[in-house]
Amino acid sequence: DSGVTQTPKHLITATGQRVTLRCSPRSGDLSVYWYQQSLDQGLQFLIHYYNGEERAKGNILERFSAQQFPDLHSELNLSSLELGDSALYFCASSRRPNEKLFFGSGTQLSVL
Amino acid sequence: AQSVTQLDSQVPVFEEAPVELRCNYSSSVSVYLFWYVQYPNQGLQLLLKYLSGSTLVKGINGFEAEFNKSQTSFHLRKPSVHISDTAEYFCAALNNNAGNMLTFGGGTRLMVKP
């Protein structure tokens, strides 16, 4: 158990809908990272938050947004969902930016 | 339940020596396998992956890994390491059954000494 909790584990929804994925980092970790998993390219970095502030942005679509709350948990919001958004979404946390990562178990999103 | 085990949390090695980072997975179904690297003060990078075909997979920076189904292993190797290979290495397994579960190992810290 890495100590990083992601909910829900599975999410099935329809095109055009909006969903929220939640991540609770390990106790004491201030950094939270979101990734999208694809078979071709592996984990694609989406966004990084550190202590409540956005630190870095990767290949994140404008339809996607995220935030980190004062209690350090983070939410990834995906809106106007398309079939191509179906993927595994991962959260990882670290004590400080770019220190060793600890991974959650992922949320499998299926857009039908 | 699927699990990925990286037996060594730290591997110290001298520069130009060979190295093997071990990874074992437990899964009763077909898996895809990945090695990721996290260099100091950097994010995560894909080193190599096994999806199908040849069991010997070559990745970036001279690394390679061999998929061994009978031993459920996917060990990472490099014949001669450099100081710049010092990093955290993560093995991951993707269960390509319904549910597509990706599981990470705990990571192995490779420390290359001069």
Side-chain angles (χ1 to χ4, degrees):
Chain A
D1 181 10
S2 67
V4 179
T5 304
Q6 278 188 258
T7 55
K9 288 196 186 305
H10 301 279
L11 195 50
I12 301 174
T13 188
T15 54
Q17 296 297 305
R18 182 180 191 275
V19 296
T20 298
L21 313 184
R22 183 188 168 102
C23 171
S24 294
R26 284 190 326 153
S27 177
D29 284 1
L30 301 177
S31 270
V32 172
Y33 306 77
W34 285 98
Y35 296 90
Q36 182 189 59
Q37 164 75 20
S38 74
L39 270 182
D40 285 343
Q41 300 176 55
L43 282 177
Q44 294 297 297
F45 168 65
L46 295 177
I47 198 162
H48 169 208
Y49 277 87
Y50 175 67
N51 204 19
E53 294 191 2
E54 182 184 302
R55 186 77 178 231
K57 245 180 183 177
N59 297 322
I60 187 167
L61 298 172
E62 285 190 13
R63 298 183 286 110
F64 296 0
S65 65
Q67 53 184 326
Q68 186 179 26
F69 294 87
D71 67 351
L72 300 176
H73 91 270
S74 178
E75 293 181 355
L76 179 67
N77 300 298
L78 315 176
S79 61
S80 303
L81 285 168
E82 301 174 359
L83 295 177
D85 296 328
S86 296
L88 257 177
Y89 292 85
F90 269 91
C91 162
S93 73
S94 64
R95 200 79 51 193
R96 290 177 194 77
N98 295 321
E99 289 190 358
K100 178 177 175 173
L101 296 171
F102 293 84
F103 293 92
S105 55
T107 294
Q108 175 65 54
L109 174 66
S110 299
V111 182
L112 305 179
Chain B
Q2 180 174 276
S3 68
V4 176
T5 304
Q6 292 181 245
L7 293 164
D8 307 300
S9 59
Q10 292 186 61
V11 173
V13 63
F14 286 105
E15 195 172 19
E16 297 183 8
V19 72
E20 178 179 83
L21 306 185
R22 295 180 292 170
C23 173
N24 287 88
Y25 66 93
S26 69
S27 176
S28 58
V29 296
S30 298
V31 292
Y32 299 138
L33 296 159
F34 304 82
W35 274 99
Y36 287 91
V37 59
Q38 184 186 11
Y39 294 107
N41 300 313
Q42 294 186 36
L44 211 59
Q45 292 180 40
L46 179 64
L47 204 53
L48 49 78
K49 62 186 176 187
Y50 171 78
L51 303 182
S52 65
S54 172
T55 56
L56 184 62
V57 181
K58 293 193 183 299
I60 61 172
N61 301 338
F63 282 93
E64 63 181 32
E66 185 158 18
F67 170 58
N68 188 319
K69 189 174 181 179
S70 62
Q71 296 186 6
T72 61
S73 68
F74 191 55
H75 300 332
L76 182 69
R77 301 185 184 102
K78 186 168 182 178
S80 174
V81 293
H82 303 289
I83 297 285
S84 59
D85 292 322
T86 294
E88 192 82 32
Y89 292 79
F90 293 94
C91 179
L94 178 69
N95 177 336
N96 63 350
N97 251 10
N100 275 332
M101 198 174 163
L102 181 67
T103 307
F104 283 87
T108 297
R109 177 111 180 116
L110 176 64
M111 298 177 294
V112 182
K113 299 184 272 188

